[in-house]
Amino acid sequence: MAEAHQAVAFQFTVTPEGVDFRLSREVLKHIYLSGIRSWKKRLIRIKNGIIRGVYPGSPTSWLVVVMATVGSSYYNLDISMGLVYYIQRWLPEGRPSRTPYTRTLFSMAIFSTGVWMMGIFFFRQTLKLLLSYHGWMFEMHGQTSHLTRVWAVCVRLLSSRRPMLYSFQTSLPKLPVPSVPATVHRYLESVEHLLDDEQYYRMETLAKEFEEKTAPRLQKYLVLKSWWATNYVSDWWEEYVYLRGRNPLMVNSNYYVMDLVLVKNTDVQAARLGNVVHAMITYRRKLDREEIKPVMALGLVPMCSWQMERMFNTTRIPGKDTDVLQHLPDSRHVAVYHKGRFFKVWLYEGSRLLKPRDLEMQFQRILDDPSPPQPGEERLAALTAGGRVEWAQARQAFFGSGKNKAALDAIERAAFFVALDEESHHYDPEDEASLSLYGKALLHGNCYNRWFDKSFTLISFKNGQLGLNTEHAWADAPIIGHLWEFVLGTDSFHLGYAETGHCLGKPNPVLPPPQRLEWDIPEQCQAVIESSYQVAKALADDVELYCFQFLPFGKGLIKKCRTSPDAFVQIALQLAHFRDRGKFCLTYEASMTRMFREGRTETVRSCTRESTAFVQAMMQGHHLNKDLQHLFRKAAEKHQNMYRLAMTGAGIDRHLFCLYVVSKYLGVESPFLAEVLSEPWRLSTSQIAQFQIRMFDPNKYPKHLGAGGGFGPVADDGYGVSYMIAGEDTIFFHVSSKFSSSETNAQRFGNQIRQALLDIANLFQVPKADG
């Protein structure tokens, strides 16, 4: 094969005259260029490390301090208060400092550098102290206090210099450990209305016993960890919630993200991939160079960027007891799946990133390749969709050497995974079921055409529609959303397409074709693959997914009700759930804790006493609108307060989770913690972030909307609900449940959500759009 010959840098033959060497100039050229590129990346990282390390200082500010010190000496002013003279005395006498003038300059430079570094340390500590203030979050909209205004000015002054992606990392405060009494009190408050008197008395007794006897010892260890570790939650959360899970990743852990659904740039599958893959690698280059601006709340408060480090070149490696995340500093290829075959596509020619038209050509070559799958190859990826123990055992037994190891390495060491599907999916507003079918294809596909272990799989349908399936352990949804917004904006407004639908420019036909991966899969391994496929297929067939666009109103009308859009939707979910199931349940809403270093998520227990009081009043049907409005606003205010507490480190569940981990390490039994951690989340919800990057003006291009994404139900007899308040006039919902549960029905619940939103809006008598 041509690519095999090109992979050989030199050959030699032994002859009677000696050894005859034959060098491949082309390969040596590529090796040379690869080395140059690697050294460039190292130098960029060193430069970025220095610039980031001295932020908010800069080389210019250092020069100013040096010039001030030197300049003051000409006016016989000693701003060092004798320190320059003291430093000069300790300088060794040698050739570099043989004259008094040179020794004085050296002393001034050392003094100035010390003052400059002390200034940087002072500014950083001041910024960290300022960022620890969260009072601004609890103030009513339009009622900013004088303290908060002064705080905002100080934060803006200290962060005014253009930051790099990780410039604020060391200035972010640590996630605080709440006090045990506060956490226990908030927990009991969150379940009191969900339990009868006897159940609540029992839980209150367990909680009191835990607080007085067990918790103080556990809390001491947790506080000690918070002093030592960067974040007292994140490493344990990643390990015990994600990596130690032995159930299939598909449906249970991975989630999906949809494409733009109301506009279409091209119908050409390979062309769309060419632009999008090019945009993704451009984003990765910006990520490596730290050229991406950190996300700022209100344009002022920096969010932690730590999770972005493992976006690319990352794979979850299965283990018998626990998985591990393998992250590589770089990768020059992507792995591609099409019609049961795996390919390796190079992203660079030497040190140059391939242009979109070249990438389109490479993907089209794969689409045109008529070769059949090798034995066992077609359903190989089902191993990543089945149980983790079975996959770990198969990996160790059949993929540890030879062709299989080389091919598996090509997939696991790829920048990301690309799936070229033969079917078409898109959202047709005239056919509501089309959005649900599109979501199902992204969530699990046919159970063997996604590599669920990769940080993300880019899915391309035959009609040019795209989507993502994302592994959850390495980061949370807003992180992949940041990438996706950049990619879709770059594809639509910067790269563009020719009138024929192809990428702009001309391809380079001399590029070597994609490399077909070679496998040697024995029958025993094929049996394991089939077993994993059956497990995955049963899981996928059991998932009911109902996705819909809610058209009557969006955040525009909700704001007229003078409430938070998220609180509005969450209270509507409580009303819908009660109508659907006839009871309330423990409800999970994910919030972020990225205002703290290495923060991830916290739980908002959104089924509150206030929201249940509102729902019960709505169900009774005889209350006046003004009374219902009052109850609704109380519920909304409570929800917003719970959300703010979660964001500022005063949540309930992460603290209890970490106390539980400490108890397991110490061998301490806690009936209270065991019961809390075993409570099922029968309604799991999440709002999808949007417009983290201003790639375009949404008011100018209102049709450029993604539909968000979704996930599988957390409980077998529960619902999973994600929603994106996509604009002023629309909301997208993704509702999941399991067919095997006789108590749940995703479409039925979706219809209840629709009606609940309309009923709450009617309370405020605000005109709505038709639909």
Side-chain angles (χ1 to χ4, degrees), residues 5 36 70 72 80 92 150 248 302 323 333 344 396 413 440 450 471 493 502 520 528 560 585 624 696-697 718 723 745:
H5 288 294
I36 293 295
V70 174
S72 66
S80 73
V150 172
D323 296 351
H333 72 277
K344 181 178 182 179
Q396 184 177 13
R413 300 176 74 85
K440 283 274 283 184
R450 316 277 182 258
E471 201 278 318
F493 298 101
H502 292 281
D520 182 13
V528 177
K560 292 178 183 178
C585 73
L624 296 175
F696 61 92
D697 183 357
Y723 53 95
N745 182 295

Side-chain angles (χ1 to χ4, degrees), residues 619-689:
M619 295 301 294
Q620 289 166 4
H622 56 74
H623 291 269
L624 296 175
N625 269 14
K626 66 175 184 179
D627 296 328
L628 292 171
Q629 288 177 18
H630 175 70
L631 289 171
F632 175 82
R633 288 207 167 95
K634 280 186 67 177
E637 288 170 10
K638 178 65 175 181
H639 179 81
Q640 286 178 266
N641 190 60
M642 294 282 289
Y643 204 99
R644 291 161 181 158
L645 286 170
M647 287 182 65
T648 54
I652 300 167
D653 291 273
R654 299 301 178 269
H655 185 204
L656 294 179
F657 162 76
C658 288
L659 289 172
Y660 179 76
V661 174
V662 173
S663 74
K664 288 300 178 184
Y665 278 129
L666 297 178
V668 176
E669 292 299 322
S670 169
F672 171 72
L673 289 176
E675 187 142 341
V676 170
L677 270 293
S678 64
E679 291 171 341
W681 300 99
R682 291 193 171 88
L683 181 55
S684 181
T685 70
S686 180
Q687 182 184 181
I688 302 162

Side-chain angles (χ1 to χ4, degrees), residues 165-403:
L165 178 61
Y166 303 120
S167 291
F168 293 114
Q169 289 300 100
T170 55
S171 298
L172 292 174
K174 286 188 175 184
L175 182 68
V177 181
S179 70
V180 171
T183 297
V184 169
H185 171 75
R186 283 194 288 268
Y187 169 77
L188 291 174
E189 184 184 12
S190 74
V191 298
E192 183 178 6
H193 51 285
L194 301 174
L195 305 174
D196 59 34
D197 291 343
E198 184 178 342
Q199 291 171 329
Y200 180 75
Y201 176 76
R202 175 178 169 274
M203 184 55 73
E204 189 178 37
T205 303
L206 289 176
K208 187 176 181 180
E209 181 183 3
F210 168 75
E211 182 181 336
E212 293 176 352
K213 296 181 179 178
T214 312
R217 182 185 175 199
L218 306 182
Q219 180 79 346
K220 287 177 183 176
Y221 282 97
L222 202 55
V223 170
L224 180 63
K225 186 194 176 187
S226 73
W227 291 345
W228 177 254
T230 308
N231 188 294
Y232 81 91
V233 176
S234 294
D235 57 338
W236 284 349
W237 188 253
E238 179 178 299
E239 179 179 358
Y240 294 108
V241 172
Y242 293 116
L243 297 180
R244 284 185 179 268
R246 301 295 82 197
N247 292 325
L249 300 183
M250 186 193 78
V251 174
N252 294 316
S253 180
N254 286 25
Y255 57 93
Y256 65 86
V257 185
M258 286 184 170
D259 197 355
L260 299 175
V261 292
L262 302 180
V263 296
K264 199 167 189 181
N265 294 321
T266 181
D267 291 319
V268 182
Q269 184 178 15
R272 187 79 198 287
L273 267 180
N275 264 6
V276 165
V277 170
H278 185 274
M280 283 182 163
I281 301 305
T282 300
Y283 182 95
R284 186 182 69 169
R285 183 165 57 192
K286 287 178 174 288
L287 194 63
D288 289 341
R289 296 177 178 180
E290 301 182 30
E291 295 172 353
I292 297 170
K293 294 179 181 178
V295 176
M296 312 282 279
L298 303 178
L300 186 68
V301 180
M303 301 288 104
C304 179
S305 303
W306 159 72
Q307 295 180 59
M308 301 175 86
E309 294 178 4
R310 298 181 293 183
M311 187 179 295
F312 295 93
N313 327 324
T314 299
T315 303
R316 180 167 169 167
I317 305 298
K320 292 181 180 179
D321 298 317
T322 182
D323 296 351
V324 294
L325 287 174
Q326 172 187 278
H327 174 68
L328 304 174
D330 194 19
S331 176
R332 295 172 59 83
H333 72 277
V334 293
V336 181
Y337 179 90
H338 177 245
K339 282 188 174 180
R341 298 90 41 85
F342 291 88
F343 296 84
K344 181 178 182 179
V345 176
W346 292 102
L347 300 169
Y348 294 86
E349 183 186 18
S351 60
R352 182 183 66 85
L353 174 62
L354 293 183
K355 296 177 181 178
R357 190 68 179 90
D358 292 332
L359 289 166
E360 177 189 348
M361 179 186 69
Q362 297 293 63
F363 290 122
Q364 191 61 51
R365 284 173 169 176
I366 293 174
L367 292 169
D368 296 338
D369 189 325
S371 61
Q374 300 159 74
E377 182 182 19
E378 182 178 12
R379 294 184 175 178
L380 175 63
L383 289 171
T384 70
R388 304 305 290 170
V389 174
E390 294 78 8
W391 174 207
Q393 292 171 340
R395 190 176 188 277
Q396 184 177 13
F398 305 111
F399 297 90
S401 61
K403 288 182 180 179

Side-chain angles (χ1 to χ4, degrees), residues 18 38 44 96 118 288 324 459 560 594 697:
S38 296
I44 288 170
M118 286 178 63
D288 289 341
V324 294
I459 300 160
K560 292 178 183 178
R594 288 174 60 204
D697 183 357

